[in-house]
Amino acid sequence: MTGTLYLCATPIGNLEDITFRVLRTLKEVDLIAAEDTRNSIKLLNHFEIKTKMTSYHEYNKVDKAIYLVQKMREGMNVALITDAGTPGISDPGEELVRQCYEAGIPVTSLPGACACITALTMSGQATRRFAFEAFLPYEKKERHEILESLKNETRTIILYEAPHRLKKTLKELRECLGNRSLTICKELTKRHEKKLQGTFDELIAFYEENEPRGEYVLVIAGKTMEEIREEEQKNWESMSIEEHMAVYENQNIDRKTAMKMVAKDRGISKRDVYQALL
């Protein structure tokens, strides 16, 4: 009989947000793999949990996962916890889960607190569709590529940011995404939890006057379809009608159909396109 990996969500601030199921599981498993044992021991001590811990973090995630998988093959049950929130979301847990699946080890997730979902639901932004990007990459080229990929994102965008980088990141996002609406949440579930909603310009100005403190979640409105259509129309109008026709004809679209498509793109009649071509 192999053991099981339990992904246990822990509080992101308020200790009352832990579930009865997580508490029972942390007491019953043979080993707890924690992102930072020094941080997690405070949680375990608070709930009088005596289960043995081992460290599992970004810098040992591959080798330690191999070790943990072997222990589970031998029948040991392991709980994985992160510093705060749900394991596997913006942390090294995904590597251990991947290795468990490859080894045929059962994996189950015990739901609970998660900063991105908590922020999204209280943000006042659209919640039906969203894109979670966690922390933007530090490396300049990769960071630029991610920002460019978000330019035309129509889903609500969720990002994490540290206080010392918040002002710089807001300015980068403003330059890339335009002056969109966003909600900035900090210290989620804690006594000094705060939410600020406004445009990039408004919130950049706010943080120029108020030094950022605490951990932040940014919930940014996606681009509307109306904005996308307006930009597309501007792009078409920057071309001559002949150039616009060539875009479709180069795709082997017949001339008559291409004229209809050009007329629709530019918001003019097919007769106007025909006259311009004459």
Side-chain angles (χ1 to χ4, degrees), residues 255-268:
R255 194 165 179 78
K256 185 176 180 181
T257 302
M259 288 173 66
K260 289 180 180 178
M261 295 171 76
V262 168
K264 183 178 179 181
D265 289 341
R266 301 173 83 95
I268 60 178

Side-chain angles (χ1 to χ4, degrees), residues 5-10 33-35 56-58 61 79-98 107-110 113-116 132-135 160:
L5 175 65
Y6 297 88
L7 305 175
C8 295
T10 54
E35 188 174 8
Y56 177 80
H57 49 72
E58 184 64 31
K61 64 182 181 182
L80 178 65
I81 59 175
T82 184
D83 282 347
T86 300
I89 301 297
S90 189
D91 77 14
E94 61 183 345
E95 173 64 26
L96 179 56
V97 172
R98 183 185 66 79
V107 178
T108 189
S109 183
L110 283 59
C114 183
C116 64
F132 175 59
E133 285 291 339
F135 289 94
Y160 290 162

Side-chain angles (χ1 to χ4, degrees), residues 28 37-38 49 62 84 86 89 122 144 167 182 191 197 219 223 245 269:
E28 292 178 352
T37 55
R38 295 166 302 178
I49 297 169
V62 176
T86 300
I89 301 297
M122 70 168 62
H144 175 74
K167 290 192 283 188
L182 75 157
R191 181 176 297 177
Q197 190 178 75
V219 185
K223 181 175 278 189
M245 285 287 294
S269 69

